[in-house]
Amino acid sequence: MPDARSIRADALARGGALPEPPPTRTIVLWCPDWPVIAAARAAGSPPDHPFALVVKGQVYASSASARQHGVVRGLRVREAQARCPELVVQPYDDALDHRAFEPVIRAVEAAVPGVEVLRPGTLALRSRGPARYYGGERAAAATLAGIAADHGAPGVRAGVADTPFAAEQAARARPARPGERVRIVPVDGSAPFLAGLPLGVLGDADLAMLLGRLGIQTLGEFAALADEQVRDRFGLAGAFLHRLAGGRDPRAVAARAVPPELRVEASFEPPLDRADQIAFAFRRSADDFAARLRAAGLVATTIRVGIVDERDILLERTWVHPRWFDAADVVDRVRWQLAGGVDPTGLEAPVVQVVLEPVAVDDMANHERGLWGTGPDERVHHGLARVQGLVGHDGVVTPRIGGGRTLAERVVLVPWGDAPVAVSFTHLRAHETLR
């Protein structure tokens, strides 16, 4: 019996269409307005207050209350503020989007393995296992949607269909009944379900405009075209979207590789009021951080240290290393950050918690010693790091080229190990609550 590879080769040799993969029943969880929810929560804005995220001077996403005032995607910021004077506007932060959604992903993964993140706010997973465990597709989808809602994704809706694309459209579709959170497309019913949807759901505005000029307005009309005609006219990208429109999504759910938990924190009860005490008490957490990195085969080249005092104020700073951080380097950064104040102890108030998380990591194999060692560079680094540990973070500096008209103005002295000012000098930021 020929295998799948030989069938594919024969089809390509004859110039015919590839055989369709078997459908994979898929559950998609979708949280409406997730970018706005994450940004508003981080900014401390009330959930019902008009809120908008902007990219390049245009509205990227808006809350439901903002849309009631006519603030929609693509609108200029000035026009949006004219329509809704109380609108809160912030730039869109993709990294915040991902960070805020991570607890939701981990909660769903704890209930069901094999979760794929389509984008922040949208998850996909195969329905077979959860349906067997929870007693049916509807029960499984409702349970998983409830888990996501309980962990920070309000209003989650679920869709179940033969393909990931059809399942996502089912989740996004208007509920058949008020308050319904689960939409199930019957087996082999994806094509009829998708047929009436507009071409805009494919996410290709140029293709939708071109097909509209040809009189094609819906996915069903697009799917009715012959495969060869679409491939010859629109190329491989158009052929892929054509298969999506016909309920023949060639993609399968690919579970993400669960990242290791590298974030560590240390809490102090009672609060500590001396920098040397805090650095000494944090040493065990720094060793734990280094051990987790080694177990994952990683090294941290950039870290973020957050210090919370008893006034519930977070002082946060990002530190860059010329090579990579070990436990001693981490403790040094904590001590230097604490010593940044004007008080002799370096503290304005006793500290209750120190939080450490990696910002940038790299494979440990890229930092292994060479066969004959690393030569003078390593000795230079150790010497400068030792001096820096004695005299403080700003005691050892390196010259960099900066802005200015004269040569003296263009020389910028940067502490050893930090990136240039224009790249990643991260300032201390004060927040009223710790995330």
Side-chain angles (χ1 to χ4, degrees):
M1 179 178 294
D3 58 9
R5 183 176 298 179
S6 62
I7 294 176
R8 180 182 178 90
D10 290 343
L12 290 174
R14 295 173 184 174
L18 294 176
E20 297 294 338
T24 302
R25 294 290 287 179
T26 304
I27 299 174
V28 169
L29 306 178
W30 173 63
C31 179
D33 300 330
W34 172 254
V36 175
I37 293 172
R41 188 177 296 161
S45 178
D48 56 347
H49 195 85
F51 198 95
L53 299 176
V54 299
V55 174
K56 296 181 179 178
Q58 294 183 340
V59 174
Y60 173 79
S62 58
S63 64
S65 57
R67 290 195 295 271
Q68 292 177 356
H69 292 82
V71 179
V72 296
R73 183 167 184 167
L75 200 67
R76 290 285 182 181
V77 175
R78 288 187 178 181
E79 177 64 22
Q81 292 173 329
R83 295 184 181 184
C84 182
E86 65 271 20
L87 182 70
V88 176
V89 177
Q90 283 198 356
Y92 172 61
D93 185 353
D94 181 67
L96 171 64
D97 225 4
H98 285 80
R99 287 198 309 269
F101 197 57
E102 185 65 25
V104 181
I105 302 171
R106 292 185 180 273
V108 176
E109 284 177 333
V112 178
V115 175
E116 178 182 5
V117 183
L118 301 181
R119 68 190 64 85
T122 308
L123 301 176
L125 59 154
R126 300 183 180 224
S127 71
R128 182 178 179 181
R132 287 182 174 181
Y133 183 81
Y134 291 104
E137 290 180 338
R138 183 174 297 277
T143 301
L144 296 175
I147 292 174
D150 292 341
H151 289 80
V156 172
R157 300 214 296 263
V160 186
D162 289 340
T163 64
F165 177 73
E168 181 176 353
Q169 300 310 313
R172 291 173 175 268
R174 185 185 299 275
R177 292 183 295 273
E180 186 179 48
R181 294 198 300 176
V182 179
R183 179 75 174 268
I184 296 182
V185 179
V187 177
D188 297 331
S190 294
F193 168 74
L194 295 171
L197 298 181
L199 293 171
V201 300
L202 293 175
D204 191 326
D206 293 336
L207 178 65
M209 181 180 62
L210 180 57
L211 291 174
R213 293 176 179 175
L214 299 176
I216 299 173
Q217 303 293 335
T218 65
L219 297 187
E221 295 171 346
F222 183 35
L225 301 177
D227 290 346
E228 294 78 6
Q229 293 176 336
V230 174
R231 186 171 60 251
D232 293 343
R233 177 63 180 84
F234 301 107
L236 294 178
F240 171 74
L241 296 178
H242 179 249
R243 297 178 72 179
L244 294 185
R248 301 175 293 157
D249 192 342
R251 301 168 298 177
V253 176
R256 72 163 187 161
V258 180
E261 179 57 58
L262 301 175
R263 183 177 183 269
V264 298
E265 60 183 51
S267 300
F268 311 120
E269 181 60 40
L272 301 180
D273 57 1
R274 295 194 61 86
D276 55 350
Q277 292 176 336
I278 298 169
F280 181 80
F282 190 73
R283 179 61 193 238
R284 179 176 296 179
S285 298
D287 291 335
D288 183 30
F289 176 73
R292 293 185 186 185
L293 287 170
R294 286 195 300 271
L298 301 172
V299 294
T301 57
T302 307
I303 61 173
R304 182 183 295 112
V305 177
I307 299 173
V308 187
D309 62 27
E310 65 177 3
R311 300 170 300 177
D312 206 21
I313 293 179
L314 168 67
L315 296 178
E316 191 175 74
R317 180 167 182 172
T318 300
W319 296 90
V320 182
H321 199 283
R323 295 191 310 142
W324 48 271
F325 286 94
D326 58 18
D329 294 326
V330 171
V331 173
D332 281 341
R333 268 57 176 187
V334 172
R335 179 163 52 83
W336 294 341
Q337 187 165 327
L338 289 166
V342 297
D343 190 86
T345 65
L347 306 177
E348 295 182 0
V351 172
V352 298
Q353 187 181 50
V354 177
V355 180
L356 168 66
E357 58 183 345
V359 175
V361 296
D362 195 9
D363 195 309
M364 184 181 294
N366 298 330
H367 299 266
E368 292 288 350
R369 290 174 175 267
L371 182 61
W372 309 112
T374 54
D377 288 345
E378 184 177 13
R379 294 194 297 271
V380 169
H381 165 72
H382 280 301
L384 293 177
R386 180 172 177 80
V387 174
Q388 194 175 35
L390 296 174
V391 300
H393 176 239
D394 298 324
V396 180
V397 296
T398 55
R400 303 289 177 89
I401 298 177
R405 295 183 178 181
T406 66
L407 292 177
E409 292 175 343
R410 297 191 65 191
V411 177
V412 179
L413 299 179
V414 179
W416 168 254
D418 281 9
V421 175
V423 178
S424 63
F425 241 24
T426 308
H427 310 296
L428 290 175
R429 299 177 300 173
H431 300 275
E432 295 188 359
T433 57
L434 177 62
R435 195 168 39 84

